[in-house]
Amino acid sequence: MLELRDVDTYYGNIQALKGVSLRVAEGEVITLIGANGAGKSTTLMSICGIVPPRDGEILFRGQPIQDRSPDEIVALGISQVPEGRRIFPQLTVAENLDMGAFLRRDKDGIKQDLDYIYGLFPILAERRNQAGGTLSGGEQQMLAISRALMARPQLLLLDEPSLGLAPLIVKRIFEIVQRINADSNTTIFLVEQNANLALKAAHRGYVMENGRITLEDRAENLLANEAVQKAYLGL
Ligand code: ATP
């Protein structure tokens, strides 16, 4: 579904991605793990057109998208949940969800997706008329994921959904990510520093160090890999 071929991405003179190549198949949950500053967020921002690569190719369903604008990329079926959530704090929960559907015209489909989301996260249904900024961190993360789902993406990009959340909430968020994948076959690309939980939720994983992919394998193999255990799992 998605392929990165030798992607180089820069911030001015600083090269953040160095020849990154990876593949995501339809229906997979993939995780990209690595230390702070390894280039994980930059990888997602290159895919969604916010920080386009200087070199290399990004193919979505075989079509090059590295020169497309972020809104064109959303329209193709790729939605991102950015790090730090970035919901609209003054808008209500319901209005935040409407914003996620701004490119859609299928009223019945939108209603169906809204019902699905309120079923996944009943707390959002209870708080639908409350301003987004008044929600707890975990609820804002649920809202950010839900807003991205309202675009009915084929590929959902999640940047550090566990950041700053209590362990119980994190567990719940990861369960929901797996459920979204199972319910609608939505392909998921998960960037995480919590390597343990991310690898348990994913089918396959990539390890990134200093802007390069250094390892790729099935998630259970990475969990059992001694170097990964030492560097990322604290074992
Ligand atoms: P984190 O988990 O901290 O978000 P990361 O793996 O997502 O880390 P990136 O945020 O992609 O890493 O950063 C990769 C490299 O690019 C780092 O060296 C970082 O300092 C640099 N970088 C990121 N954003 C910018 C920016 N806006 N301007 C300049 N350099 C940046």
Side-chain angles (χ1 to χ4, degrees):
M1 176 180 255
L2 179 78
E3 186 177 357
L4 273 65
R5 286 188 190 155
D6 271 327
V7 167
D8 293 335
T9 300
Y10 290 75
Y11 295 101
N13 292 328
I14 301 168
Q15 186 170 8
L17 300 186
K18 300 166 185 164
V20 169
S21 295
L22 55 83
R23 284 163 173 268
V24 184
E26 183 150 18
E28 271 191 312
V29 179
I30 285 288
T31 186
L32 177 63
I33 60 172
N36 246 332
K40 306 181 300 296
S41 298
T42 305
T43 304
L44 290 192
M45 291 197 284
S46 289
I47 295 167
C48 64
I50 296 171
V51 188
R54 196 176 288 178
D55 258 313
E57 266 192 313
I58 302 181
L59 304 170
F60 180 62
R61 298 196 177 285
Q63 188 183 353
I65 59 166
Q66 68 275 3
D67 298 322
R68 300 286 192 104
S69 64
D71 56 319
E72 286 174 329
I73 291 173
V74 174
L76 287 173
I78 301 179
S79 288
Q80 191 195 8
V81 182
E83 187 176 331
R85 312 188 256 276
R86 297 197 215 136
I87 55 145
F88 301 106
Q90 317 286 351
L91 300 186
T92 65
V93 166
E95 288 165 344
N96 266 279
L97 294 174
D98 281 348
M99 295 297 282
F102 78 102
L103 286 174
R104 293 174 64 180
R105 297 287 170 268
D106 58 323
K107 277 200 174 150
D108 291 348
I110 292 174
K111 167 85 178 58
Q112 210 181 347
D113 289 348
L114 206 51
D115 289 345
Y116 173 72
I117 282 163
Y118 284 148
L120 273 186
F121 300 116
I123 191 78
L124 295 184
E126 273 172 42
R127 308 213 157 155
R128 69 182 82 193
N129 296 319
Q130 203 169 310
T134 66
L135 301 180
S136 70
E139 289 160 3
Q140 289 190 23
Q141 184 64 69
M142 293 173 194
L143 180 57
I145 293 172
S146 301
R147 187 182 58 191
L149 285 178
M150 286 303 292
R152 203 179 267 192
Q154 298 164 43
L155 175 63
L156 181 64
L157 310 175
L158 290 163
D159 197 351
E160 302 254 8
S162 78
L163 198 72
L165 301 182
L168 258 183
I169 309 281
V170 171
K171 191 166 167 275
R172 171 102 183 100
I173 299 267
F174 278 86
E175 282 164 6
I176 292 283
V177 166
Q178 286 179 293
R179 184 159 155 211
I180 292 164
N181 170 254
D183 284 350
S184 50
N185 202 37
T186 307
T187 307
I188 293 177
F189 192 137
L190 172 65
V191 157
E192 258 298 334
Q193 280 203 47
N194 189 330
N196 186 33
L197 280 178
L199 288 170
K200 283 182 180 151
H203 301 116
R204 276 192 314 120
Y206 289 87
V207 179
M208 182 166 245
E209 285 170 34
N210 297 320
R212 295 179 203 279
I213 300 290
T214 52
L215 257 181
E216 83 171 271
D217 210 332
R218 296 200 56 77
E220 66 259 30
N221 295 343
L222 289 176
L223 277 168
N225 179 306
E226 253 181 58
V228 172
Q229 289 181 346
K230 243 189 187 164
Y232 303 107
L233 302 174
L235 298 176

